[in-house]
């Protein structure tokens, strides 16, 4: 069982234990003796099973069990002891076990809420709050059931509950938010030389035709995707962004392209959002060949999804063969691009540049030919070998370049089972194909660094965010949401290592701006294949990724989940140079 499944199993068992104790308590209050004993037995079994899941999770890393070991385990133990000792005395009137059983239930429920609403890291304040809630609920049950404890017990419980509540809320209250030293003197990068390629992108609302139906979109130059920007290595690109009528503003972020910080297009960090009637000129040198894309970073959750994105391809010279870009996107429930058939001559080399511009992972399957994955996220792989009848999973924002030699028979590319590109009719059951693991593909090379100047751990989770006007259920990093996640500070030249841990139940496609990171390991297994320099990678539930990079691009960089709805719910922080 992998860690993600263990996290899910542990949650189910915790719910079962809490529900079992609460049900048993309610049943004994109603004098339903067999039901009460049955439910108590279920709860007891679930509690023992949880000892196993927590122990197994602890082996995957302390991040996965911190609050379970420090808060849930002691509470469960106390609940089980109180309820168990009372049950063992086999009372004549089962009703007298109601409050002890309910106490065990409140203890389980309290611990569960700590995991679901607070998560990582565990804190004494949250533990005390849970204790206060459990004691208050227990005292209330005593009163309701009329089986009052002795006045001394009552008084002791009240004192403990109030003390816990006071210290708990005190400790759980937000500290002062770290000051974000935003650099508002947006530097401009006119020093890269005279432009050799000029483009103008005008953002505006538009009606586009998708699968024969009119769809309201936001578009660059009234098309979704926006114009494909192409360049040759060495070109200087100048892209003028104009905003016709997108009220919430637009910017251009060059996803995966490690441009100077001032050209990175993150509103509030590297520039102000471009409002209707305004323009902003981006200029940078095309030094990296490969497959990239651009998109707005202003209210990106809405803007990208509605269509403010396009392809950026930088080619080395000379180019031979067929070169096709396939930017997959979901617009109004329809998958773009719509299927198309392209004639290709037999024996011709074909390169498919697959781009996932959505917020969730897509599964790509190339049927009818063997192929090689020659590049991921714009970086060439070493020694890619041919594979056949194998699918690839591309994370949100990620790119894979597939290369094959056109066979005499048709070839088709399926995305999540639907053909988006073909050279003729192909029927293939691709959904059972194995998935290529890039960490073991191609020829390996040693990691270029033996020591790391900075080490950061990012624990991804969910949690209740009480800092705004309305409480929201945020996606957290180390227990906080944007803008309260402390920035990561590095110096120019540092070798920086990130450990990224996902203890939530959903995938987080991680994306650091301005740098490609070298993957060191995933779940303690080192990379055995080609070095992987990524800018977008899926951290699945239970995953622990270790990645590293050289801090060689000064500035203030966004470091965030590329499920853009998660960014909206707080999952973004900054990497800054001191
Ligand atoms: Cu996410």
């Amino acid at each position: 069982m992998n860690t993600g499944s263990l996290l899910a199993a542990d949650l189910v068992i915790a719910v079962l234990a809490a529900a079992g104790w609460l049900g048993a308590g309610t049943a004994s209050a109603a004098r339903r003796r067999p039901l009460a004993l049955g439910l108590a037995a279920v709860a007891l079994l679930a509690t023992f099973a949880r000892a196993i899941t927590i122990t197994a999770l602890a082996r995957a890393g302390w991040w996965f069990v911190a609050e379970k070991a420090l808060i849930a385990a002691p509470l469960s133990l106390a609940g089980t002891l109180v309820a168990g000792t009372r049950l063992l005395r086999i009372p004549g009137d089962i009703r007298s076990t109601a409050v002890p059983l309910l106490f065990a239930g409140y203890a389980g429920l309290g611990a569960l809420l700590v995991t679901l609403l607070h998560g990582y890291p565990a804190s004494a304040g949250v533990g005390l709050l849970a204790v206060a809630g459990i004691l208050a609920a227990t005292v209330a049950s005593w009163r309701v059931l009329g089986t009052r404890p002795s006045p001394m017990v009552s008084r002791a419980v009240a004192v403990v509950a109030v003390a816990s509540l006071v210290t708990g809320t005190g400790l759980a209250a937000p500290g002062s938010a770290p000051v974000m030293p935003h650099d508002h003197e947006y530097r401009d990068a006119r020093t890269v030389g005279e432009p050799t390629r000029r483009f103008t992108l005008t953002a505006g609302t538009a009606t586009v035709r998708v699968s024969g139906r009119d769809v309201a979109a936001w578009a660059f130059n009234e098309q979704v995707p926006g114009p494909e920007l192409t360049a040759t290595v060495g070109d200087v690109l100048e892209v003028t962004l104009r905003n016709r009528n997108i009220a919430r503003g637009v910017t251009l972020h060059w996803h995966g392209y490690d441009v100077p910080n001032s050209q990175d297009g993150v509103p509030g960090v590297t520039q102000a959002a471009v409002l209707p009637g305004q323009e902003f000129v981006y200029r940078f040198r095309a030094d990296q060949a490969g497959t990239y894309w651009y998109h707005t970073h202003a209210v990106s959750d809405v803007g990208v999804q509605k269509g403010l994105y396009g392809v950026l391809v930088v080619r080395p010279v000379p180019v031979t063969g067929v070169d096709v870009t396939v930017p997959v996107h979901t617009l109004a429930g329809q998958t773009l691009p719509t299927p198309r058939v392209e004639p290709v001559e037999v024996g011709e080399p074909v390169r498919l540049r697959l781009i996932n511009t959505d917020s969730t992972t897509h599964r790509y399957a190339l049927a009818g030919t063997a192929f090689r994955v020659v590049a991921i996220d714009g970086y060439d792989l070493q020694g890619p070998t041919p594979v056949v009848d194998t699918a690839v999973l591309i994370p949100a924002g990620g790119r894979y370049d597939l290369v094959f030699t056109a066979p005499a028979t048709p070839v088709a590319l399926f995305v999540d089972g639907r053909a988006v590109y073909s050279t003729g009719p192909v029927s293939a059951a691709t959904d059972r194909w194995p998935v290529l693991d890039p960490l073991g593909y191609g020829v390996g090379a040693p990691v270029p660094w033996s020591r790391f100047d900075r080490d950061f751990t990012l624990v991804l989770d969910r949690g209740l965010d009480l800092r705004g006007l309305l409480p929201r259920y945020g996606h957290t990093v180390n227990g906080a949401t944007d803008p309260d996640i402390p920035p990561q500070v590095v110096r120019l030249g540092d070798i920086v290592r990130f450990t990224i841990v996902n203890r939530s139940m959903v995938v987080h496609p991680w994306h650091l701006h301005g740098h490609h990171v070298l993957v060191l390991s995933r779940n303690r297994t080192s990379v055995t294949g080609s070095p992987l320099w990524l800018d977008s990678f899926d951290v699945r539930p239970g995953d622990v990724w270790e990645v590293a990079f050289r801090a060689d691009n000064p500035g203030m960089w966004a470091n965030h989940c590329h499920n853009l709805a998660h960014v909206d719910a707080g999952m973004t922080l900054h990497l800054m140079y001191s």
Side-chain angles (χ1 to χ4, degrees), residues 375-454:
I376 298 179
D377 286 0
Y379 274 62
D380 288 348
L381 300 188
Q382 283 184 17
T385 47
V387 290
V388 69
D389 292 354
T390 301
V392 296
L393 293 179
I394 305 187
R399 289 90 58 214
Y400 274 48
D401 288 20
L402 310 188
V403 164
F404 62 93
T405 305
T409 47
V411 164
L413 175 72
F414 295 86
V415 176
D416 303 327
R418 187 179 153 280
V420 296
Y421 165 91
S422 71
T423 60
V426 174
S427 67
T430 59
D431 53 332
R432 295 194 167 236
W433 287 4
V435 171
L436 181 82
D437 182 2
L439 273 68
Y441 179 70
V443 175
V447 172
W449 314 298
S450 55
R451 59 167 188 89
F452 300 95
D453 304 299
R454 307 273 164 172

Side-chain angles (χ1 to χ4, degrees), residues 507-509 561 563 566 571:
V507 178
H508 295 296
C561 175
N563 183 323
H566 295 183
M571 197 168 252

Side-chain angles (χ1 to χ4, degrees), residues 142-515:
W142 259 323
R143 293 189 169 268
V144 169
L145 293 173
T147 53
R148 300 190 62 170
S150 69
M152 228 183 55
V153 172
S154 273
R155 238 172 279 138
V157 164
V159 167
V160 172
V162 169
S164 301
L165 203 61
V166 169
T167 41
T169 40
L171 288 172
S176 55
V179 180
M180 288 298 286
H182 284 164
D183 179 5
H184 283 285
E185 288 172 40
Y186 307 122
R187 286 167 297 135
D188 96 10
R190 299 300 149 111
T191 51
V192 293
E194 275 307 299
T196 54
R197 304 276 290 162
R198 284 193 170 87
F199 303 93
T200 299
L201 298 177
T202 304
T205 53
T207 304
V208 296
R209 201 120 179 109
V210 183
S211 303
R213 165 166 102 75
D214 282 339
V215 171
W218 293 359
F220 289 119
N221 300 4
E222 307 199 26
Q223 63 184 80
V224 176
E228 184 165 322
L229 309 187
T230 57
T232 304
V233 172
D235 271 338
V236 173
L237 274 75
E238 184 183 270
V239 183
T240 303
L241 169 67
R242 295 205 173 105
N243 183 352
R244 186 160 47 80
N245 64 351
I246 303 296
R248 299 170 79 177
V250 290
T251 63
L252 288 175
H253 168 59
W254 312 97
H255 187 111
Y257 220 71
D258 301 329
V259 297
N261 193 237
S262 59
Q263 309 301 299
D264 195 44
V266 179
V269 180
T270 66
Q271 67 170 99
V274 177
L275 297 174
Q278 297 182 337
E279 70 169 44
F280 189 96
V281 180
Y282 297 87
R283 200 185 279 190
F284 57 91
R285 184 181 296 278
D287 291 322
Q288 301 163 234
T291 309
Y292 300 90
W293 64 297
Y294 62 86
H295 62 81
T296 183
H297 222 284
V299 279
S300 58
D301 178 23
V302 183
V304 177
Q305 189 262 319
K306 277 179 169 287
L308 290 174
Y309 71 96
V311 171
L312 168 67
V313 174
V314 179
R315 294 185 173 89
V317 276
V319 176
T320 52
V322 179
D323 193 322
V324 183
T325 54
V326 189
V328 168
H329 191 78
T330 308
L331 185 65
Q334 305 282 320
T335 307
L336 301 175
T338 44
R340 54 183 178 167
V341 175
E342 308 229 341
V344 174
E345 278 175 40
V346 177
E348 208 171 3
V350 181
R351 187 182 191 108
L352 293 181
R353 299 174 184 268
L354 314 182
I355 308 172
N356 182 357
T357 69
D358 278 325
S359 271
T360 52
T361 316
H362 283 305
R363 186 178 193 277
Y364 298 71
L366 181 60
T369 180
F371 64 92
R372 292 178 300 131
V373 180
V374 296
I376 298 179
D377 286 0
Y379 274 62
D380 288 348
L381 300 188
Q382 283 184 17
T385 47
V387 290
V388 69
D389 292 354
T390 301
V392 296
L393 293 179
I394 305 187
R399 289 90 58 214
Y400 274 48
D401 288 20
L402 310 188
V403 164
F404 62 93
T405 305
T409 47
V411 164
L413 175 72
F414 295 86
V415 176
D416 303 327
R418 187 179 153 280
V420 296
Y421 165 91
S422 71
T423 60
V426 174
S427 67
T430 59
D431 53 332
R432 295 194 167 236
W433 287 4
V435 171
L436 181 82
D437 182 2
L439 273 68
Y441 179 70
V443 175
V447 172
W449 314 298
S450 55
R451 59 167 188 89
F452 300 95
D453 304 299
R454 307 273 164 172
D455 251 307
F456 296 101
T457 300
L458 297 103
V459 179
L460 316 180
D461 201 356
R462 298 216 68 170
L464 198 61
D465 178 1
L466 298 170
R467 285 153 222 248
L469 281 175
L470 288 173
R472 58 174 188 164
Y473 197 36
H475 287 278
T476 58
V477 179
N478 299 340
T481 52
D482 177 61
D484 296 315
I485 309 169
Q488 302 165 316
V489 182
V490 299
R491 283 171 318 189
L492 188 63
D494 276 350
I495 307 300
V496 184
R497 178 165 58 185
F498 283 177
T499 303
I500 308 179
V501 180
N502 185 354
R503 45 165 278 156
S504 79
M505 297 284 166
V506 293
V507 178
H508 295 296
W510 207 256
H511 176 55
L512 169 65
H513 287 212
H515 310 73

